[in-house]
Amino acid sequence: MNFDLTPEQDQLRDAVRALGRKYGHGYFVAKAKAGEHTTELWGEAGRLGYLGVNIPTEYGGGGGGITELAIVCEELAAAGCPLLLLVVSPAIAATVINKHGTDEQRKRHLPGLADGTQKIVFAITEPEAGSNFHRLGTVARRDGDDWLLSGRKCYISGVDEAQYVLVVARTEDAATGKLKPALFIVPTDALGLTRSKLDMEILSPENQFLLYLDEVRLPADALVGESLDAGLPALFAGLNPERITVAAMGAGTGRYAIERASEYTATRKVWGGRSIGSHQGVAHPLAHAAVQVELARLMIHKAAARYDAGRDLEAGVSGNMAKYAAGEAAALAVDTAVQALGGAGMTTEYGVATLLGAVRAGRIAPVSREMILNFVAQHVLGQDKSY
């Protein structure tokens, strides 16, 4: 059992940390409030190779795994720049295409995903289905050699920044007549695909959308994989990387909040000559939050190591636990930091309340804490399915 990073991973962490601090939380907030995107940060991260660390070298990537991508997610978040599209494009889309796409799909998409010149977002959630992907209403049907997609998707991140969206739909199995999942790579400018921006109470430069697919016509090669049999494995291929990298982003956000609060409480003096951080009423909540963040980081490390070793079932358990732990820890850390800073904690200048919406959402998405508890109860504790 080894808790140390390799020298190469340490170098990656230091380099990404330096890039994140070059931009910082002020940049992130300014972009969000201006309704702009973090184009400069994304572009530089791509040129430096950080967006493609988990993509094979033959396609311009770093040849690493989800462990390396989790490092990138965590360190940018720890610098105050939690980029959700790191989860959506390199973690989900690149993994799905690399593992289950055709040779042509890999050649067409992976180099751009690796250097950041291409973004592919992910569309699975639907208004009626919620957490139950078995109830997906988006349907794909054959029309000659083409496919026609119709349906609705919601809470789809970054569609306005992406060239493609990876859409989860359902197709009819000719042998059984039953519907089975399939994934399609859909251009965001495809005829029949429209979007509507959702107004969210989250300060973020990355927007959320409703998508409407009205008989969107796609060529046969838009289907991920060689056949419909690739659909279910491709769908699940993206879920563990999603949970692990979301958890890493949460842990990084927690670290950022605790660091900001610790700097403030170590120097702020109100009662005599002692810092407010010398009082246990201030120090203990911060210390408790720091413990929770560090525990989450350990589970993230475990989940990523299992995933990269090809132990998918075990990675599913660890990944869900990591996502749960990091979501709770990040929300606790940011709330504790705001409380420690008092009124200053609610200002934009001190840069912690600006994260309240994001960490609260992290306890809901991409899978809610309640559904993770259901998963653990059923698959770890052997309880009957409750839903």
Side-chain angles (χ1 to χ4, degrees):
M1 188 179 296
N2 186 357
F3 294 100
D4 294 325
L5 298 178
T6 66
E8 293 77 15
Q9 290 167 342
D10 264 329
Q11 291 171 8
L12 175 65
R13 186 181 291 281
D14 291 343
V16 176
R17 180 186 297 123
L19 175 65
R21 289 180 174 176
K22 173 182 174 181
Y23 287 87
H25 191 58
Y27 164 84
F28 181 88
V29 171
K31 287 291 184 180
K33 290 195 170 184
E36 299 173 355
H37 304 306
T38 53
T39 306
E40 301 85 357
L41 173 54
W42 185 271
E44 188 165 355
R47 289 191 297 273
L48 293 171
Y50 305 150
L51 303 181
V53 289
N54 61 312
I55 294 174
T57 55
E58 62 187 290
Y59 301 110
I66 292 302
T67 297
E68 283 74 20
L69 187 59
I71 289 171
V72 175
C73 291
E74 181 181 345
E75 290 308 318
L76 286 180
C81 299
L83 300 185
L84 182 57
L85 285 190
L86 279 170
V87 175
V88 177
S89 198
I92 300 176
T95 299
V96 168
I97 292 171
N98 181 48
K99 286 197 168 187
H100 296 282
T102 64
D103 288 341
E104 178 57 33
Q105 287 167 346
R106 294 187 191 100
K107 292 174 184 176
R108 187 187 313 160
H109 298 291
L110 291 181
L113 291 173
D115 66 17
T117 57
Q118 185 179 129
K119 295 175 184 174
I120 301 180
V121 295
F122 185 59
I124 182 171
T125 306
E126 295 183 1
E128 289 78 20
S131 297
N132 187 0
F133 86 89
H134 296 288
R135 292 186 58 198
L136 293 181
T138 300
V139 175
R141 60 180 177 84
R142 287 281 194 184
D143 186 47
D145 291 334
D146 292 345
W147 290 97
L148 292 176
L149 266 65
S150 293
R152 291 190 300 163
K153 299 290 183 180
C154 61
Y155 304 116
I156 310 306
S157 308
V159 180
D160 55 335
E161 301 181 59
Q163 295 92 341
Y164 297 91
V165 53
L166 189 61
V167 175
V168 183
R170 303 184 76 189
T171 63
E172 185 175 346
D173 189 323
T176 66
K178 295 181 178 180
L179 294 178
K180 58 192 300 184
L183 277 69
F184 295 88
I185 303 173
V186 182
T188 51
D189 61 356
L191 187 65
L193 176 64
T194 57
R195 65 181 187 239
S196 174
K197 184 174 177 290
L198 286 164
D199 291 327
M200 306 291 291
E201 296 301 321
I202 299 172
L203 186 64
S204 173
E206 296 156 326
N207 298 316
Q208 302 291 316
F209 291 88
L210 287 166
L211 290 188
Y212 306 91
L213 300 103
D214 182 14
E215 297 284 274
V216 176
R217 182 173 294 275
L218 300 170
D221 63 1
L223 174 70
V224 172
E226 301 288 352
S227 72
L228 289 175
D229 291 335
L232 192 60
L235 172 59
F236 281 107
L239 297 185
N240 284 338
E242 175 190 54
R243 283 150 174 69
I244 295 167
T245 50
V246 163
M249 189 168 66
T253 301
R255 285 173 49 202
Y256 167 82
I258 292 167
E259 181 179 343
R260 294 289 291 169
S262 298
E263 290 171 351
Y264 181 87
T265 56
T267 56
R268 172 76 166 161
K269 295 178 181 179
V270 178
W271 308 108
R274 300 173 64 187
S275 68
I276 61 173
S278 67
H279 299 281
Q280 292 178 355
V282 175
H284 282 189
L286 286 173
H288 173 65
V291 170
Q292 300 309 305
V293 169
E294 188 62 20
L295 291 174
R297 294 181 73 206
L298 287 173
M299 185 53 78
I300 294 163
H301 182 76
K302 180 178 182 179
R306 284 180 165 180
Y307 181 84
D308 290 337
R311 296 159 62 182
D312 289 345
L313 290 177
E314 294 167 288
V317 173
S318 299
N320 274 292
M321 289 183 172
K323 193 275 171 186
Y324 180 97
E328 299 298 302
L332 174 67
V334 172
D335 185 68
T336 303
V338 170
Q339 190 69 23
L341 269 67
M346 295 303 297
T347 66
T348 302
E349 176 187 357
Y350 283 88
V352 284
T354 44
L355 294 165
L356 280 169
V359 295
R360 187 62 187 83
R363 300 175 73 208
I364 301 170
V367 57
S368 72
R369 64 192 299 276
E370 289 76 19
M371 288 305 297
I372 292 176
L373 292 175
N374 284 335
F375 177 91
V376 172
Q378 181 182 349
H379 295 283
V380 179
L381 304 182
Q383 303 303 304
D384 289 339
K385 189 174 181 178
S386 64
Y387 56 96

